[in-house]
Amino acid sequence: MIGGLMFASFSLAAQSPAAPAYREPFRPQLHFSPREKWANDPNGLVYYNGVYHLFFQHYPGDIIWGPMHWGHATSKDLIHWRQQPIALYPDSLGYIFSGCVVVDSANTSGFGQKGKAPMVAIFTHHDPAGEKKGNNDYQYQSLAYSLDNGHTWTKYRQNPVLKNPGIADFRDPNVMWYKPGKKWVMTLATKDRVTFYSSRDLKSWTKESEFGEDQGAHGGVWECPNLFPMQLDGATYWVLLVSINPGGPNGGSATQYFIGQFDGKKFYTGGSTTKWIDYGPDDYAGITWNNTGKRKIFLGWMSNWIYANQVPTAAWRNAMTLPRQLRLVRPVGGGIYLSSLPVQELNSQAAKPVMLNGVPIDTLTDLSGRIGLSATQYKLTLHSDTLKDFFITFSNLQGQQMALGYDKASNRWYIDRGLSGNTDFNKEFPKKFFSPRIADSKALDLTVVMDAASLELFADDGLTVMTAVFFPDAPLNRLHIGTKEPWKIRRVTYTPLRSIW
Ligand code: FRU
């Protein structure tokens, strides 16, 4: 989203200025959020020397979108984050928009010194003056490098390295080393498609091909692409993530993906169904970490441009999703899909779980007492050999609730945040969101991760994922499950999760 900022009138929901950092109302306790002020897309995800780096679109001056910087946070385990000084500031070429970081081990760029490989950031410079004038060439790609493990960054003197050919939306470079061709490949969002470029030295770029003008969803502009190989049954497939805004399956921002082949120049795909990495309203601009070998870990921005500037937090605005491990899977019925599940490192936060076996469920079964929900954040897993039409509500004594369930007649999962508390800052917010069920197994396999202000649903071993944020006045720690037909759930497991802060 660029421009069109909305200034919200929001209720401050008992927000006290004296609240200690990371303990304010609505503050995520399992997810990364900026200590202060505005955040959007994750940028420059890279693993290097034992550290996961998370850069992010950041405006340190306010809790609304503004002149973009790259914020920075680091983690050793993807769960506990430490915010670092701002990595990149706007300059005479413009704001610092989204992009990536690569480790240039062979020093192809020549930025390395004394045998030290550079980390190189490839990002979009966005010139607000050019945009205001109505030009169409105000976005171009630039470089910065770090020789001290990402702590400090030097911008390349000859920026930009990829000039704008006259396309107003020309941004969000994502670069990978293409081993067979011994070259770098950049995937760039170019309005209604992606364009691939290649380079030997990260400085001079040649256009290779375009993809997508006639593929996938086109309800809005394409943004934040990410191309990477993955394995399934001994074969290599290429996955291309493309965010789109608006035009998501539930309105506004969302991320579609394509599975195909890439030959160093061109991306090919056969499928015609549009696939979404997350069908909920709040997972956008997600990309994967570079330099993690075969393991692919995804992180998205947990918001939606429809209301991102209006949600009722005061010290900061917007968080990231949980890091999710991606796998390729081939469900019965054909086709190849991505499955995403929270990274196993999240288990380090687990307190003692409560397990219920053979749980009889009728029209409305209150499990609050048996489970003794006391935590603000927790994981709930449900396993059963049968899957019925059912719903779960997570509620508080004020009657605020998040609901989710499976609608058998339409074979869809859903999340309903209509009654979730503070919802009146945008009329698109209090809604029910649906997602097709992709799996066709008879069994129930559901994991839900609840945080202070978000719910992430992972159904059918991560084949269908839905993320939604919400803003209750008190934790939703009462649990009900209901069904239209009598049912017994084989196992319900409730695991309180400790705060990461
Ligand atoms: C996606 C996006 C990117 C852009 C950045 C600006 O959310 O619009 O395309 O680089 O945000 O903050």
Side-chain angles (χ1 to χ4, degrees), residues 1-2 38-43 57-58 65-70 95-99 124 126 139 169 171-173 189 221-225 243 245 253 284-285 301 305:
M1 195 236 34
I2 295 157
W38 170 267
N40 57 292
D41 316 357
N43 294 149
Q57 289 286 279
H58 184 39
W65 190 89
M68 284 290 111
H69 299 54
W70 272 26
Y95 300 166
I96 313 297
F97 270 22
S98 287
T124 300
H126 169 97
Q139 293 182 341
D169 296 296
R171 60 177 178 270
D172 308 341
V221 68
W222 284 24
E223 299 183 315
C224 301
S243 285
N245 177 60
S253 326
Y284 192 60
W301 175 48
W305 282 117

Side-chain angles (χ1 to χ4, degrees), residues 11-12 27 31 106 131 143 165 180 202 204 208 275 300 339 353 356 370 399 418 468 497 499:
S11 72
L12 280 182
R27 178 67 92 168
H31 295 79
E131 182 187 25
L143 306 179
L202 294 167
S204 99
E208 296 288 0
K275 296 169 180 165
S339 109
L356 305 178
R370 292 181 69 187
L497 299 169
S499 170

Side-chain angles (χ1 to χ4, degrees), residues 93-120:
L93 291 173
Y95 300 166
I96 313 297
F97 270 22
S98 287
C100 63
V101 169
V102 297
V103 178
D104 182 13
S105 327
N107 196 21
T108 62
S109 61
F111 292 141
Q113 276 170 24
K114 298 184 191 135
K116 174 94 186 145
M119 292 169 87
V120 182

Side-chain angles (χ1 to χ4, degrees), residues 167-188:
I167 304 170
D169 296 296
F170 189 75
R171 60 177 178 270
D172 308 341
N174 199 281
V175 174
M176 57 158 302
W177 178 248
Y178 183 71
K179 220 179 181 174
K182 296 201 183 70
K183 60 179 185 179
W184 299 100
V185 170
M186 175 195 293
T187 311
L188 191 70

Side-chain angles (χ1 to χ4, degrees), residues 6 15 68 73 104 132 157 163-164 174 216 323 426 437 458:
M6 315 260 284
Q15 189 112 356
M68 284 290 111
D104 182 13
K132 226 185 217 159
R157 281 162 181 247
K163 298 216 170 81
N164 190 309
N174 199 281
N426 188 298
R437 182 171 189 240
F458 304 89

Side-chain angles (χ1 to χ4, degrees), residues 231-289:
Q231 308 287 317
L232 175 65
D233 302 333
T236 300
Y237 295 86
W238 287 78
V239 178
L240 174 62
L241 308 180
V242 179
S243 285
I244 168 173
N245 177 60
N250 273 300
S253 326
T255 302
Q256 56 184 328
Y257 67 90
F258 304 90
I259 296 173
Q261 291 301 331
F262 182 71
D263 63 7
K265 289 177 173 292
K266 237 173 127 57
F267 180 79
Y268 307 86
T269 182
S272 54
T273 30
T274 304
K275 296 169 180 165
W276 301 92
I277 200 156
D278 188 320
Y279 283 82
D282 296 305
D283 178 358
Y284 192 60
I287 53 172
T288 56
W289 260 275

